[in-house]
Amino acid sequence: MRGVSALAPLRGLGVRLATGALYRTGALAAYHRARNRQHLTVIMFHRILSPDDPRWPTSDPEYTLSDGLFGACLDFFQRHYNVIAPDALLANRSVLPPRPLLITFDDGWADNHTYALPALRGRGLPGLLFVVADAIDRREPFWQEALVHAFLRGTLQPADCATLWRGARPPGNDDPAPACSVLDDLRTVVARLEALDENSRDHLLADVGKHARLTSDERQMMTTSELRAMAAGGITIGVHGKTHTP
């Protein structure tokens, strides 16, 4: 087994070198185009922010892309795919262009209007926004993201995480709370909170929020006028539920 372990990094290096060679010669792109010719690819984004935006430092890195990287993604899509509108997909799937791709967004973040819409319009690309109805015209994000924002701001302390952990603890379960020194620890706490009924969770969050400042000053969610501007700018509006409750 030790010999296999020693060879694993070399094999990984060999795969990377071979892939790099195939990419440089164009063979990988040709294979990619052939493989995806008859398949619909759906891309999902959440938040698009500039690193200079005041919301950037506290946004969840798992769901946030920089505007520069988003633009690079769109350029890649245009080179290798045919970006389609949802209407084309719904009208007749049998006559889609080769390598069709659908660009989608989830939730209804205000930054989709600020950063994503201009990038799409500048390239003449359509998109599809699945919006949470109750999120429209709200300043604050969903409670899960509010906890992440507070953690990254430093207003949610390990003691607060322990309080949330204990408050959401199932009967008979006395396992210790995560240290909450890294974001993944907080995600474990969030997963436990999601199992609570809504009233119990809201009460627990309100109690912790009295001193942890779960809300931020910047507006996070889209307004009605921004939603209408998205629709007028070529973005189809779909539904992502009413409350975003799991």
Side-chain angles (χ1 to χ4, degrees):
M1 292 300 293
R2 231 176 289 169
V4 173
S5 299
L7 288 174
L10 295 176
R11 289 173 178 164
L13 176 61
V15 170
R16 291 195 297 273
L17 290 174
T19 303
L22 289 171
Y23 177 79
R24 287 190 296 274
T25 61
L28 190 62
Y31 167 73
H32 183 81
R33 287 194 297 271
R35 185 188 63 180
N36 292 294
R37 184 175 180 82
Q38 301 299 327
H39 293 85
L40 171 68
T41 299
V42 180
I43 301 293
M44 178 182 65
F45 295 103
H46 285 81
R47 305 199 68 175
I48 310 296
L49 282 168
S50 165
D52 297 327
D53 192 289
R55 294 167 291 186
W56 173 266
T58 59
S59 62
D60 190 337
E62 189 168 308
Y63 295 101
T64 308
L65 207 65
S66 72
D67 57 341
L69 185 52
F70 178 67
C73 288
L74 297 183
D75 293 339
F76 180 87
F77 300 156
Q78 287 187 295
R79 288 196 304 272
H80 297 283
Y81 294 89
N82 288 293
V83 180
I84 63 169
D87 288 350
L89 177 62
L90 296 175
N92 194 340
R93 299 183 187 184
S94 63
V95 293
L96 291 178
R99 300 179 303 281
L101 181 141
L102 188 65
I103 300 172
T104 75
F105 302 85
D106 270 5
D107 299 337
W109 298 94
D111 49 72
N112 288 182
H113 172 263
T114 307
Y115 297 104
L117 180 60
L120 290 166
R121 293 188 69 175
R123 294 168 174 80
L125 295 177
L128 171 58
L129 168 62
F130 292 108
V131 67
V132 176
D134 284 355
I136 299 301
D137 292 320
R138 278 176 41 172
R139 291 189 64 84
E140 69 278 5
F142 309 113
W143 66 266
Q144 296 97 327
E145 282 75 16
L147 288 173
V148 171
H149 294 184
F151 177 85
L152 294 174
R153 280 199 309 272
T155 62
L156 185 74
Q157 300 297 321
D160 300 316
C161 291
T163 298
L164 294 171
W165 182 262
R166 289 192 298 270
R169 178 181 290 160
N173 188 324
D174 60 352
D175 53 343
C180 274
S181 56
V182 295
L183 197 51
D184 281 347
D185 287 348
L186 178 61
R187 297 194 198 283
T188 303
V189 176
V190 167
R192 175 167 283 192
L193 287 167
E194 286 179 337
L196 285 181
D197 66 89
E198 187 174 355
N199 290 334
S200 299
R201 181 174 60 244
D202 288 348
H203 179 77
L204 188 57
L205 290 171
D207 187 50
V208 169
K210 290 175 184 176
H211 58 88
R213 200 166 70 85
L214 299 185
T215 58
S216 59
D217 296 330
E218 296 84 18
R219 181 170 59 83
Q220 304 287 341
M221 310 311 295
M222 198 173 288
T223 65
T224 300
S225 61
E226 288 172 340
L227 185 62
R228 287 174 174 154
M230 295 287 284
I235 307 299
T236 301
I237 308 301
V239 178
H240 192 45
K242 182 180 186 295
T243 66
H244 206 252
T245 302

